Amino acid sequence: MAATDLEFSQSPLGSGSPVEIVFGDDSGAPAGTAVLHIAGSITGLHGHITARTFALAHAAGSITGLRGHITAHHDINVSRPLARTGRDAWQPAAPLRAGTQVRFEQSRAIGAALRAQWQQSVQIGAALRAQWQATDPVQRATRLQYQQALRLDAAPVRQRFEDAARIQHLRRHQYQHARSLAATPVQQRFEDAESLRRLVRQQYQRAVPLAAAIAQRFGIADHLGVVRRAQYQQAQKPLPGVTPGTQPPAPDPCYVPKLPAELVFDLAADAALPLGLLFVCERGGSLPPPAGIVVPPRRTYIVINSIEIRRADDLAGDPLPSETFQMQLDRQSWTWTFSASFHASARDAIAPGPGGQPVELEVRVNGQPFRLQAERIGRSKRFPGNMVTASGRGLAAVLDAPHAQVQTFSQTQDRTAQQLMAEVLTVNGVGFGWTVDWQITDWLVPGGIWMHQGTWISALKDIAGSVGAYLQPHDTAPILRVLPAWPEPWWRWDTLVPGVELPEGIAEVGDTEVVDLPGYDRIFVAGEAGGIQADLTRNGLPGTMLKQPMAVHPLITEIVAAKQRATAELAESGRMLKHKMTLPVLPATGVIKPGTVLRYVDDASTQRIGIVRSTAINQQFPVLTQSLEIDSHA
């Protein structure tokens, strides 16, 4: 392709008129080859200059006062790109006053909820109008989150919403601008209450004057002579040195101002209270803490014994004709076990229900209720009549075999030990009526640490046993209590408050067994994978007597759990005393259950503190007794 060069120069004296050059064939002249040479000075030029295909235009010199038009036509018989210039088919768009239309189409449904986030748009010169059209209903709910927009100093951006077409399952939300609270005062309307038709009527009458004479006696007062003596002495300048302060004498705690002391008792206040006086004076010491229930010493104790057994669904009926009754509970057990014998007429009342479901009984031991289940029924024929026997366990028997199946318990999230117990007593995450009374210190168990295979009760025992605690059933409700093995170790029993205090001579039989154990003062406690390891020693002791083996459990994940387990282990040390006593079921104490802190007098007439470990109720009409096994320390 031939090159086309145009060179123009303007004389400084020229007027600087514009020069227009047009390329294009719009004259209809036949194509050809032309060469245009311009040289010299052109002034006052008028007319048109036409350049055909393959035209070379050269201009040299000075052009002043140029007038007219120069037209150059460039015809190319094939489509070829230009080397220096090109023609662009785009032109500046004219600004439209109409709003910008944005269309959204339905996206595919995903597993999670659709979340849309909005942010502040950039301000433009014209108002921005966004249109939305109704989308097709999806199976999952669409959640849109909005946040407060920032206020702009310029003109606000308006958004117009177009009414969507009504479709099925469409929720329509309407929004409008709230009125400013500062501009519109808050108005509260009150309406008059409806007048009551009834009137409160009060009657007054004139009071009757009462005349009562008040007699006061006055006598001649005795003259008291009080002599006040004031001593004065000559003052002097203090001598150099330090004078120690005077210490007043300590008061005698056993000082009595006047002997004999006069005691006044008001028996009209409560004649049922026992009249017992105890005077103790201990110089340099303190009295032991009082017990919650104190049985006073008496020559005779009168107790009306009664065992009443009824079906739990017929508490208003007559008691079943029972002959004998025994019930036992110890620290290693988590529910009561019992056996009873009845007259043959009670066979249908204690028979299992439909499907072999054991019947639930309520037993009242001197008025104290217990809920039990008759799991096994037997018959015996003895002179002079037939007998029916029943045995079973408490309400918690439903948590163990054969009523409960073996399953696997585990936890994947962080839980406390108390929460682990609460999750065990569920089916598919829903509780079935049993709860836990947590009475030990709780601690955190990380996820994936604990796993157990067994029944509900075995899983609960595993959690409680990790820190040396045990389970005890409630008397009548579906509640399991979690109790520590030792409320306080024996070396801190001086601060332990007894629950029951028994006098000397109240026990019919008292046996004592002395068990000598090493004086352990140190133990290693460790958890398994994910747990902790702790070396614990009693305060104030050298830690030379190590207890073996070390205590290991996967739930020992915090130092709180390690200390509770170490206390339970180290308390089983030193010279321990195991007492057995049999006493009546007194109205003041009722059935003394395991875990009770007991203050009693042993066979050597020594007052001791111990913890009840086992309780057995035995009834052979008309005698009813309870036998206790107590752990104490020398």
Side-chain angles (χ1 to χ4, degrees), residues 471-488:
L471 301 176
Q472 186 179 102
H474 191 273
D475 294 343
T476 57
I479 300 175
L480 287 173
R481 304 167 63 195
V482 183
L483 304 176
W486 300 85
E488 289 290 343

Side-chain angles (χ1 to χ4, degrees), residues 134-173:
T135 58
D136 295 334
V138 295
Q139 297 298 328
R140 299 183 180 273
T142 301
R143 185 178 64 183
L144 302 179
Q145 297 181 355
Y146 296 88
Q147 63 182 8
Q148 184 65 33
L150 300 178
R151 183 175 182 180
L152 301 179
D153 295 334
V157 179
R158 294 185 302 171
Q159 295 184 353
R160 298 180 180 178
F161 296 88
E162 181 178 342
D163 293 339
R166 177 185 291 269
I167 59 175
Q168 191 176 1
H169 304 296
L170 178 63
R171 295 181 178 181
R172 183 178 181 183
H173 299 275

